[in-house]
Amino acid sequence: MNRYLPLVLIAFGILAFATLMLVIAPGIQMAQRSVPEGLRPYSEQESRGREQYVSLGCVYCHSQQPRSPDQAPDVERGWGRPSVAGDYVFDQPHQLGTMRTGPDLLNVGVRLPSESWHLTHLYQPRAIFGWSIMPAYPYLFEEKPEAGPEDTVVVLPEGFGPDSGVVVARQEALDLTAYLLALDRTYPVPEDALRDDGYARKESGS
Amino acid sequence: MPITMGLLLALSFVVSLLALSFLIWAIATKQFALDRAHAATVFGKGGADGPDTDGTHLFDTTGIDRVSARPVRLLILGAIFWLVLGSTFGVIASLKLHWPDWLNQAAPLTFGRMRALHLNLVAYGWLSQIGIACMFWILPRIFRTPLRAPNLPVIGFWIWNIGITLGALAFAQGWTDGEEWLEFPWQLDMLLVLAGVFFVVPLVKTARAREVDHIYVTGWYFLAAMVWFPCLFFIANLPGIHYGIEEATVNWWFAHNVLGLWLTPLGVGTAYYFIPKIIGKPIYSYSLSLIGFWGLALFYSQVGIHHLIGGPVPTWVVTLSVVHSVMMFIPVIAVAINQHVTVARNLWALKESLPLRFISFGAVMYTLASFQGSIEALRSVNTITHFTHYTVGHAHLGAYAFVSIVMFGAAYHIMPRMMGRDFAHPGLIRLHFWLVVVGFAIYFFALTIGGLLQGLAMLDATRSFAESVILTKPWLEARSVGGTMMTLGHILFAINVIGILRKPRAVAQSAVAAE
Amino acid sequence: MTRTSKQTASKIVKPGEDFEPWESHNRVPLPVIWIALALGVWGTALLFQDQSSYAVAQGDREADEVAAHDAPEGGEALFLANCSTCHQPNGVGVRLAVPPLQDSEFAKAGPEVVAQIVLRGIDGPIRVKGFTFDGHMPSFAAALDDGEVAQLASYVAGRFGDADAALGRDQVAELRAAHAGSGSWQGGEELAGLVPGLPAQPAMPAMAQAGPDPAISDLIFAGRGDVWSCASCHGGLGQGAENTPRLAGLSQGYIAKQLQDFREGERQNEHMSFVAKGLSDSEIEGLAVYYAGLRVDSTAQPALGGDLARGERIALQGDWSLGVPACFSCHGPSGFGVGADFPALAAQQPAYLASQLAAWAGGHRNNSPLGLMDRISEALPESDRRAVADYLASLPAVPPTEQKAMARIEGGGDEL
């Protein structure tokens, strides 16, 4: 090949075609679906909490896309039904994730609806799971000699809290927990839902 | 609806196949006007002072190199700074996975921040910069004409590095755009785009002013990459228009094309230049180089959605990416034949040249990484490897064992020629090589084995999720060992490069110093 | 590859510094073309296969939709789906446990009476055909709509009571409104007012049901410094969600034993061990009493994509080709539970059931008496785990049992 302009034009054209196939066409297909009935936008506190989730990089260990029972037993672990494209319309940026160093979280608000549990877990995951490698987030909390009237005290077993006084959740921890509790996509799947069905088996019945 | 999408799917695949068939036909019927004589006569435009064209392809690049030296020097320095810093953050992140209570006191030290810092600093700070440095060194040489507007890349260098610094500080503090490979806040991305203009303009000007009729294969990769990367970067980072799953498809269209249409061309193009250059023989086949390039363009561009297999995206898009991922065997085999056959026929060169060892090793790793990737994209394999550490191992096989190691070799080749003197500590080069090769081997096998075990545990409901975490711990510890060795190698690399840039230790008799 | 030094010397031609790369002109090796063609064929085949895969999944989704919206047609199907697990498909009931419908005074009283019983359920002693039963029938008001109740009541009265009147949906709507918020029929005593000519009914015992100890109530709803509140995970009404189990209606002995097992480490679950370690014996008793007495609707639904027909078969008959007994043979009719060792399964969260079966099979739950569940779970393939879990989740909620005599296996533990 010897000519500059045809080279770059064709190269650009190939990328444009790829963009059409990978981004634009599926985007149009997804935009034609309406928002699922059970899904509601995040409240203001939940949105703040979501920003915490994004900024702390939770996505680097936790996915938010349970798989189909045809493929993997995600649903038996309590992670919820296989997610579909419509479940994420209010997510910006998406937090689908590509690692499961920790469990899938798309429905964590359903199986662990306890704010108190999440505060304990965020403060020190190893207070609950001795084997956990999740980081602790002590800076989302503060230690006080005694709890004030508005404070949310963190439940901690012996040995994990300060020697005296209590651990109280800061607003960031409460916001993040509110977001986690809002993670619930267990409403029924609309008929025209979009997801990768490539694992569906040819024999009917599972 | 399935019918329409199925049609689109079939359409895309048919287009790619047709294009490839057209290409092969074009080669076979010699549509590409290049015969032996033409290749031999690389000067078409009355170069009266050109060296003799007796078919041995000799050209004195000293004058050209002198002009390129300043931007190349700066870019290599900048790249090495981010390499050392980025590798260190990588080691810290790796240690945190099995020492989770270490360095937890403040948010910037947390794993989520460290990992993002590592990825962005090595991708945009190290790999992109050293790749651009190679472009500035190689393109004027293959175009047989000095770099045009050589001051512009210097400005670009400063803007680029300021952008990276600000970006790193930003998401250490938690200001992030929130997607993998796209964490830089878009406001700071604009600095990188601006710097990119300062890089691209001189290279395009040089390309337009070239003194050759034929563009050597490295030139195709570099020139196309300079079109692809800005498009990708721009579209993916546009704020406010992407959300939900469409944003996810953009994310992975971008991230995988950064690897395949930016970093891979940098690495493959560099290897294509230095392997025959150091050995002194041509690459095996022009036709294969065409298939390798256009196959990459056609197939690689559509593999991105293999990061979302089994996920909430339409089936046809996933299958499209899976099929294209496997089709990548074709261009990768073509490049492999071209690069490895040339080396295999000249094994003496590996003994003679340390840079070639790096570059050839890296080129082989490209072949292996691509084969692994093609197989990893198959649904049956992917169901085990998805979400595990296996994919991290694969990513590093490509971005590190291939591109980074090729770039080490390129830097070791370029620097003595550019500075006109030897490396101060040639022994460190060998040590660097063994540290990164052995370190990476430990890294890769640890994550590959650990990841497969992890994936199998996750697929078995009778095994608790805890099991999948507990069993990876020893493999993660091994990875920290490997990663530390690699980082030590980088420090040695930095010592040597900085050393050669400072006071001369010995003036080289010939420019063939480090080999 | 060995070469003589002469050959090596002649083959090595180190390049000059000014050698610049170029491409030689060898042809594309034929194997490369073959590989390209083979991959092209494979890729095309995969595209076609993918279409059918999508069609299968789409069909499954539509079938689920159909199953969700189209309830079984007709009174007989409703009866078989909802009533037959306790009252038996032929309506004869279970001796000493479940009253018969065949020729019973209540069925003969006509579809209106049957509908009112179905809407409210019955608690307390009742005499049917000369035998006294003391149990609890759940209310189906939430599970069935007016039309379904009408069809069911008409069918039951017609088949078992020889009534020929049919009930209309509007009548059911009126009855539902009239009885809204009334709770269950308090034994045959209250039903005597509804059914004329009913034989003498046993007296309803005075239910001195004091509210739970405030300390227990606090524990359940507010938690403590070292223990999360029970309700914060298990729900305010103890109904559970995903793999957090429903507690409402589980037997007192069972709940107490599980809490003790969590505390001693006999049963492994990080969340519950955390909680149980902070509980005293009296707190465990108090919690068990509270949840055993809770009477709330089911929020569980099939959610695992399991084959409900297969699940029903295993629950009712077992699968002896796998060595799996019927669930109900130990866990009681309709999965309502027996004693402290065989907990209620009906209305339990399906992800919890499936995960427990998986845990027994994988060896990380092993507190089943005599190791019974370990062996049963190991025999069940993954699809059957989901089938059984989904089926059991579809059953109505368990009415709490007042246990006069606690059946318990002595010398339990997984000795096998």
Side-chain angles (χ1 to χ4, degrees), chain B residues 143-157:
Chain B
F143 293 149
R144 310 284 191 264
T145 186
L147 178 66
R148 298 297 190 272
N151 288 324
L152 292 187
V154 176
I155 302 174
F157 163 81

Side-chain angles (χ1 to χ4, degrees), chain B residues 329-383:
Chain B
F329 271 115
I330 301 170
V332 168
I333 290 174
V335 169
I337 294 174
N338 261 342
Q339 294 183 347
H340 309 328
V341 163
T342 313
V343 173
R345 286 179 171 179
N346 294 281
L347 288 172
W348 57 265
L350 289 174
K351 282 199 215 91
E352 295 287 326
S353 164
L354 281 173
L356 185 65
R357 274 181 229 180
F358 283 93
I359 295 172
S360 184
F361 179 83
V364 172
M365 290 302 112
Y366 171 58
T367 309
L368 294 180
S370 289
F371 284 178
Q372 181 192 34
S374 296
I375 294 177
E376 199 177 336
L378 295 170
R379 280 203 171 86
S380 47
V381 176
N382 193 269
T383 194

Side-chain angles (χ1 to χ4, degrees), chain B residues 422-451:
Chain B
D422 285 344
F423 280 106
H425 313 280
L428 288 185
I429 303 179
R430 279 196 172 76
L431 190 53
H432 172 198
F433 180 79
W434 286 112
L435 275 173
V436 299
V437 167
V438 174
F440 181 73
I442 297 174
Y443 183 106
F444 177 74
F445 286 112
L447 289 184
T448 300
I449 298 171

Side-chain angles (χ1 to χ4, degrees), chain C residues 372-397:
Chain C
L372 284 169
M373 284 313 299
D374 302 50
R375 297 203 295 179
I376 291 170
S377 304
E378 274 159 30
L380 276 177
E382 190 257 347
S383 57
D384 281 348
R385 286 203 292 266
R386 287 187 288 121
V388 157
D390 270 349
Y391 170 70
L392 293 168
S394 72
L395 296 174

Side-chain angles (χ1 to χ4, degrees), chain B residues 449-469:
Chain B
I449 298 171
L452 285 172
L453 293 174
Q454 179 191 13
L456 291 169
M458 284 202 290
L459 285 179
D460 183 351
T462 67
R463 299 173 70 179
S464 63
F465 182 79
E467 260 188 77
S468 76
V469 175

Side-chain angles (χ1 to χ4, degrees), chain A residues 69 75-78 110-111 113-114 116-117 120 127-129 131 155-157 186 189 191 197-198 200-202 206, chain C residues 52-54 56-57 61 65 224-228 232-233 241-244 270-271 274 304-305 355 382-383 385-386:
Chain A
V75 74
E76 285 177 62
R77 297 192 188 281
V110 181
R111 71 174 176 279
S114 165
S116 174
W117 184 94
T120 305
I128 305 173
F129 303 110
W131 47 263
V155 166
L156 286 173
T186 51
V189 172
E191 208 176 77
D197 292 317
R201 292 191 202 113
K202 306 301 171 285
S206 24
Chain C
S52 67
S53 175
Y54 174 76
V56 167
R61 261 198 293 278
E65 285 269 312
R224 255 201 334 241
D226 58 345
V227 168
W228 312 299
S232 70
C233 279
E242 286 297 334
N243 59 350
T244 302
E270 293 94 341
H271 314 267
F274 183 104
L304 309 181
S355 67
E382 190 257 347
S383 57
R385 286 203 292 266
R386 287 187 288 121

